[in-house]
C-alpha cells in the first residue's frame, strides 16, 4: 500500500466547502470520484483542512492510498485534470511515507483574505468590497495581538468536534496591493472552523472605528463568539499554502 500526497487548487464558488456534505457537492467528493474513475478502485481522500462553502484554495494538499503497482504520478496528474471539472486543478502527485497525513502532519497553514475599496467588475468574485474608509494601521495593531494568545474560542464556529480551540498564530498582517486592494495574511499551525473570516470581520470593526484595539484584545480574552464581529464573506478567502516536514517525503530512507 503506497500513500500519495496530491496538490491541488480550486475555485470554491460552486461547492459546499471541502468536506463531503449530504446536501451539496464538495471538492473532496469531486476529487474522490475522479480518482475512483481513473484508478478503477474506491479511493478515499483526506484533506489538510476543511474550507467552508464558497472559500477557495490556490493550494490544498490531500492524501490517498493505492495498493496497486506504483503510480506514474505525472500521468495521474494529467488524467485527473482531464476528468475533474474546470474549477478544480491538480498541480502534483507524489509518494510519501505510509504514515504521512495531510492534515495531522501539516506544521503551518497560510490563508489570505482580499478586500477592495473600489468597484471593479472583475474583483467581485474574489474580493470583498468595502464601503467607506478603513484604518489599516489600527487593524494591523489589533492583528498583532493575535500572536500573544493561543485560545481563539471567540473566533470559532460553535459546536464543532475539535478537542481544543488553541492555535499558534505566527503571522497576521494587512498589506496593500495596488491603490485600492488590501490583503490580510495569517499563518498558524492550525485554524478553527470559520476562524479567519471571524477574525477579518472583527478587524474590520476596528478599521471602521467601531472597536478599539483594546476592545479587540478583550474579545479574544472573553472566549465568547458572541463578542466578536460578523464573519466576513467566504468568497474573498483563499487557502494559499500548507507546509510539511521534509522527512515525510523521504520514502526510501
Amino acid at each position: 500500500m503506497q500513500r500519495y500526497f496530491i496538490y491541488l487548487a480550486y475555485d470554491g464558488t460552486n461547492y459546499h466547502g471541502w468536506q463531503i456534505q449530504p446536501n451539496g457537492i464538495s471538492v473532496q467528493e469531486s476529487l474522490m470520484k475522479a480518482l475512483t474513475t481513473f484508478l478503477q478502485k474506491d479511493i478515499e481522500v483526506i484533506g489538510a483542512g476543511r474550507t467552508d462553502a464558497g472559500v477557495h484554495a490556490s493550494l490544498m494538499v490531500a492524501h490517498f492510498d493505492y495498493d496497486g503497482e506504483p503510480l506514474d504520478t505525472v500521468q495521474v496528474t494529467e488524467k485527473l485534470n482531464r476528468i475533474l471539472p474546470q474549477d478544480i486543478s491538480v498541480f502534483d502527485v507524489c509518494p510519501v511515507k505510509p504514515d504521512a497525513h495531510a492534515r495531522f502532519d501539516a506544521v503551518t497553514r497560510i490563508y489570505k483574505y482580499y478586500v477592495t475599496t473600489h468597484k471593479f467588475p472583475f474583483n467581485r468574485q474574489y474580493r470583498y468590497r468595502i464601503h467607506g474608509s478603513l484604518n489599516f494601521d489600527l487593524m494591523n495593531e489589533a492583528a498583532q495581538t493575535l500572536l500573544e494568545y493561543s485560545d481563539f474560542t471567540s473566533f470559532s464556529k460553535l459546536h464543532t468536534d475539535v478537542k481544543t480551540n488553541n492555535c499558534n498564530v505566527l503571522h497576521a498582517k494587512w498589506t496593500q496591493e495596488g491603490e485600492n486592494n488590501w490583503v490580510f495574511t495569517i499563518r498558524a499551525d492550525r485554524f478553527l472552523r470559520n476562524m479567519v473570516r471571524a477574525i477579518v470581520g472583527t478587524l474590520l470593526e476596528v478599521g471602521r472605528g467601531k472597536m478599539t484595539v483594546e476592545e479587540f484584545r478583550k474579545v479574544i480574552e472573553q472566549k465568547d463568539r458572541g463578542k466578536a464581529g460578523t464573519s466576513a464573506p467566504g468568497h474573498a478567502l483563499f487557502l494559499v499554502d500548507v507546509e510539511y516536514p521534509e522527512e515525510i517525503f523521504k520514502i526510501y530512507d
Side-chain angles (χ1 to χ4, degrees):
M1 182 75 72
Q2 175 64 58
R3 179 158 292 183
Y4 296 87
F5 268 19
I6 182 167
Y7 291 78
L8 66 150
Y10 53 85
D11 180 329
T13 303
N14 297 320
Y15 297 92
H16 287 239
W18 162 265
Q19 191 173 19
I20 290 178
Q21 303 290 334
N23 59 344
I25 188 70
S26 70
V27 180
Q28 183 184 31
E29 179 183 356
S30 299
L31 184 57
M32 286 170 59
K33 285 182 177 179
L35 280 165
T36 297
T37 297
F38 172 57
L39 298 175
Q40 296 294 299
K41 293 184 179 182
D42 289 335
I43 301 294
E44 183 180 4
V45 172
I46 305 296
R50 304 175 182 176
T51 53
D52 293 333
V55 174
H56 318 289
S58 57
L59 189 147
M60 166 64 92
V61 184
H63 76 251
F64 68 93
D65 293 327
Y66 182 68
D67 61 359
E69 291 295 317
L71 294 174
D72 180 335
T73 55
V74 173
Q75 183 186 51
V76 174
T77 300
E78 293 175 350
K79 292 290 187 180
L80 287 178
N81 280 325
R82 293 180 187 178
I83 298 170
L84 287 163
Q86 292 298 313
D87 49 11
I88 303 176
S89 65
V90 173
F91 299 136
D92 190 22
V93 177
C94 65
V96 292
K97 289 186 174 181
D99 60 348
H101 199 286
R103 179 181 176 188
F104 298 132
D105 282 337
V107 285
T108 60
R109 299 162 173 85
I110 302 175
Y111 280 89
K112 288 181 181 288
Y113 194 94
Y114 296 87
V115 302
T116 183
T117 58
H118 180 64
K119 183 179 180 181
F120 187 60
F122 305 109
N123 274 342
R124 73 189 189 280
Q125 192 168 350
Y126 306 111
R127 301 288 186 273
Y128 179 34
R129 187 185 172 200
I130 302 298
H131 299 273
S133 60
L134 293 171
N135 188 327
F136 284 96
D137 289 335
L138 281 180
M139 290 163 67
N140 269 332
E141 187 179 339
Q144 287 306 294
T145 66
L146 295 167
L147 279 63
E148 302 173 25
Y149 295 89
S150 59
D151 189 326
F152 293 102
T153 300
S154 293
F155 300 124
S156 174
K157 185 175 181 179
L158 299 176
H159 311 302
T160 61
D161 58 357
V162 297
K163 296 180 180 179
T164 174
N165 287 334
N166 286 359
C167 308
N168 182 21
V169 176
L170 304 167
H171 176 86
K173 188 175 183 179
W174 290 92
T175 53
Q176 189 168 6
E177 293 188 344
E179 184 178 354
N180 303 299
N181 300 314
W182 291 77
V183 57
F184 177 64
T185 304
I186 183 165
R187 179 172 175 254
D189 61 341
R190 65 190 290 262
F191 288 91
L192 307 172
R193 292 283 303 278
N194 203 49
M195 179 174 164
V196 180
R197 292 167 56 199
I199 288 174
V200 170
T202 311
L203 287 173
L204 291 174
E205 294 290 284
V206 175
R208 294 178 177 122
K210 296 181 179 180
M211 181 184 293
T212 66
V213 173
E214 189 57 35
E215 287 170 338
F216 182 87
R217 181 187 294 275
K218 288 180 180 178
V219 166
I220 303 174
E221 294 175 349
Q222 287 174 309
K223 302 176 185 178
D224 181 351
R225 179 64 184 90
K227 303 297 183 183
T230 303
S231 294
H235 72 276
L237 179 61
F238 288 75
L239 173 64
V240 301
D241 199 11
V242 187
E243 299 172 328
Y244 295 93
E246 283 296 323
E247 54 264 25
I248 70 173
F249 301 99
K250 298 175 181 177
I251 62 173
Y252 300 114
D253 284 1

